[in-house]
Amino acid sequence: MTKSNSRANALEVEGLIKSYGDRRVVDEVDLEIRAGEIFCLLGPNGAGKTTTVEILEGYRERDGGRVSVLGLDPGGRPLQLRTRVGIVLQTTGSFERLTVAETVAQFAGFYPNPLPTEEALSLVDLVESSDKLSGDLSGGQRRRLDVACGLVGRPELLFLDEPTTGLDPEARRRMWSVLEGLRTQGVTVLLTTHYMDEAAHLADRVSVLVQGRVVARGTPETLAPPEPILSVVELQLDSPDLSVAELSRLVGEEVVPDAEGWVRIPSEEPTGLILRLAEWVRSSGRSEVPGLAVQRPSLEDVYLALVEHHGRRIEVLS
Amino acid sequence: MTATVDPNWTPSVLAVGLTRYRLELKTFLRNREEVMFTLAFPLILLLLFGVGLNGEIESTGVDFVQYFLAGMIASSAVSAGFISLSQQVAIEQHDGTLKRLAGTPMSPVSYFIGKTGVVITAAAAQMVLLFVVGVLFYGVDLPRDGFGWMTLGWVMVLGLAASSFLGISITRLVDDPRAAAAVAQPPALVLQFISGVFFLFSGLPVWLQNVASLFPLRWMTLGLRSVLLPDAFEAAETAGSWQRPKVFVVLMIWTVGAGILAHRTFRWSSRDE
């Protein structure tokens, strides 16, 4: 309660440091997660994500910095904290010969005021598999069971470590709708993922970790790249009426269509470019082109630019 | 969805432990191969020895099969407590089960209540089967009185506790659960040969007897013989006596020592640095 806004934050980290031997894997990390939001920690393998999260969960001791999880210090995994958080690890053990309902009921038994098993299962859309053995579930169902075990104790804060890694697209979508449902339950979520579409879809705010440092933070829509990334206007040419040479002259640089006739033109002013392209198409005696699209930089573009920029810069420094 | 909870709440170690026991037992019973193997293996050994080693031990009136039965009961405690428990714990340290449980309010004591509960259940089932076959086919005598049953009880409880604690302790040495059996089997096998399970203890060279006497199995077999063999056999023991007080003291020391070791060396996960 050092700050006036502490009450609204489920988790606060200031200057977190952790080294393995000489190697500093978490280097002055600051995080702030507001109560009720889905917060996503992004970063390449080896960036210190898992170490950071495991310090917050209480599995690892930190070397320095201030950490407050629900107002408590997670060091030494105090019982009060374990009672109020839910943890879904990457590898979560099996309980293969217990049924889905038995597995969730077991976890319910650890907490003072758990959800009824049936309710936890309906939150993750597994009621119909209640009597199946956990070992007989599909990958997506098993991950949803993990989430049910993390939720059944009515946590205020849920840690979700790569909940959809290795799942097929349909199973990932189903997990997303489960996690979106949590938002209405008021649970704060700390999510780690390698999928940028997942972060863009679910997260209220993200932080990007590269080589142990937070290099960017913000909402998925406003996360700033190290240098501006241009939008790309894509246009498909399919007839000799539309000459590549003419188009190159129009945009002021040489364009090369791919096998399907698509050309991609980066632009600082995509709307203006489209107006000029439309004028050119009409003056060529056409009213339509087969394909026209504007690609704004996605979270993935921004993320990759950040990782490349900061990864390289830190390599140069060391 | 969240609700205010008494900040001083603590989970009931015993109630959660019994829940864990119930689920562990279900898990065990649903693995039919494991159940069959666990129960049948000591029986098969007993039957083989019964065929191969019929005969009285040096005119003591005791059949070797009777002697071997006491050894088999003791070594079933070693296999349930030391070998299979170390393997299970190593697997759960490796696959994230224990780490996941460590993130909940569950006490590690509850975890061990569940595990040792299954160990005791499996060892008790083995013992009952060995008794049934022993009594029906080999004329083995059950403990004669309350004192005998009590002795049987404390020898088994201390022996199982010591083996289980040692089983948990050795998981510290294995990062890959596939190596757990390779680490646990050799010492268990060697001890069975020199502690009066497969061979007569009194027939071993003295130096080997002295080595075996450092470990608990030799004292377990002695304690069990003291209630399963006729009193006439007492004189044939190496000390000419059942040495019950010494059996108790040695097993106690091992139980307490191994318990402290298990507590100190236990880790939730074998994957972390």
Side-chain angles (χ1 to χ4, degrees), chain A residues 54 59-60 77 79-80 82 87 92-94 97-98 102 106-107 110-113 149-150 154-156 185, chain B residues 1-3 5 7 9 16 20 23 26-27 30-31 95 97 99-100 102-106 268 272-273:
Chain A
E54 291 198 339
Y59 288 120
R60 286 175 196 276
R77 286 184 295 110
L79 176 62
Q80 250 207 65
R82 282 182 279 140
I87 298 176
T92 180
S94 39
R97 289 202 179 79
L98 296 181
E102 284 168 345
Q106 167 183 214
F107 278 86
F110 300 154
Y111 295 91
N113 182 29
C149 293
R154 299 183 202 258
E156 293 162 57
Q185 306 277 334
Chain B
M1 156 159 149
T2 56
V5 167
W9 174 86
V16 174
R20 288 279 312 153
L23 295 174
K26 270 189 190 171
T27 304
R30 282 173 189 171
N31 188 349
D95 73 5
T97 305
K99 189 172 182 179
R100 175 72 188 86
T104 74
M106 186 199 75
W268 291 102
D272 303 331
E273 289 95 327

Side-chain angles (χ1 to χ4, degrees), chain B:
Chain B
M1 156 159 149
T2 56
T4 33
V5 167
D6 176 5
N8 296 316
W9 174 86
T10 54
S12 160
V13 171
L14 186 65
V16 174
L18 291 177
T19 306
R20 288 279 312 153
Y21 167 66
R22 203 166 39 79
L23 295 174
E24 293 269 13
L25 193 61
K26 270 189 190 171
T27 304
F28 172 67
L29 293 176
R30 282 173 189 171
N31 188 349
R32 253 182 245 139
E33 295 84 2
E34 197 185 338
V35 174
M36 286 299 293
F37 182 80
T38 306
L39 295 183
F41 186 61
L43 275 187
I44 292 169
L45 279 183
L46 183 71
L47 293 172
L48 284 175
F49 270 76
V51 171
L53 291 165
N54 252 326
E56 202 177 306
I57 300 169
E58 298 159 12
S59 64
T60 53
V62 171
D63 195 277
F64 185 78
V65 177
Q66 284 176 281
Y67 186 95
F68 180 66
L69 182 83
M72 264 333 288
I73 292 173
S75 68
S76 71
V78 172
S79 64
F82 186 67
I83 297 172
S84 81
L85 185 64
S86 64
Q87 208 153 357
Q88 279 180 46
V89 173
I91 289 171
E92 296 188 348
Q93 283 171 342
H94 190 76
D95 73 5
T97 305
L98 264 166
K99 189 172 182 179
R100 175 72 188 86
L101 291 172
T104 74
M106 186 199 75
S107 156
V109 177
S110 303
Y111 175 79
F112 288 115
I113 290 175
K115 283 278 180 232
T116 44
V118 175
V119 167
I120 290 169
T121 308
Q126 285 177 326
M127 188 169 75
V128 168
L129 274 175
L130 285 169
F131 274 147
V132 168
V133 172
V135 168
L136 288 182
F137 299 103
Y138 299 108
V140 169
D141 298 319
L142 295 178
R144 286 168 293 281
D145 48 21
F147 178 79
W149 283 107
M150 246 178 56
T151 308
L152 177 81
W154 64 252
V155 169
M156 286 304 283
V157 166
L158 289 179
L160 279 168
S163 330
S164 301
F165 290 145
L166 289 172
I168 292 160
S169 303
I170 62 156
T171 61
R172 188 72 198 209
L173 305 174
V174 290
D175 287 338
D176 182 346
R178 283 169 296 189
V183 174
Q185 287 282 9
L189 196 61
V190 169
L191 283 183
Q192 287 179 43
F193 275 102
I194 67 173
S195 300
V197 176
F198 298 136
F199 299 125
L200 275 185
F201 186 71
S202 55
L204 295 172
V206 174
W207 69 269
L208 214 48
Q209 291 178 354
N210 290 338
V211 171
S213 298
L214 297 173
F215 298 96
L217 185 57
R218 172 256 192 282
W219 301 99
M220 287 180 72
T221 59
L222 179 59
L224 292 173
R225 285 199 298 275
S226 82
V227 292
L228 294 174
L229 300 189
D231 288 334
F233 195 81
E234 183 164 6
E237 290 290 350
T238 47
S241 150
W242 296 128
Q243 300 185 81
R244 286 200 191 94
K246 196 168 177 188
V247 169
F248 182 79
V249 169
V250 175
L251 289 181
M252 251 335 232
I253 291 172
W254 267 99
T255 300
V256 172
I260 293 170
L261 187 67
H263 182 73
R264 291 250 169 104
T265 55
F266 178 67
R267 55 186 176 168
W268 291 102
S269 171
S270 54
R271 285 166 163 252
D272 303 331
E273 289 95 327

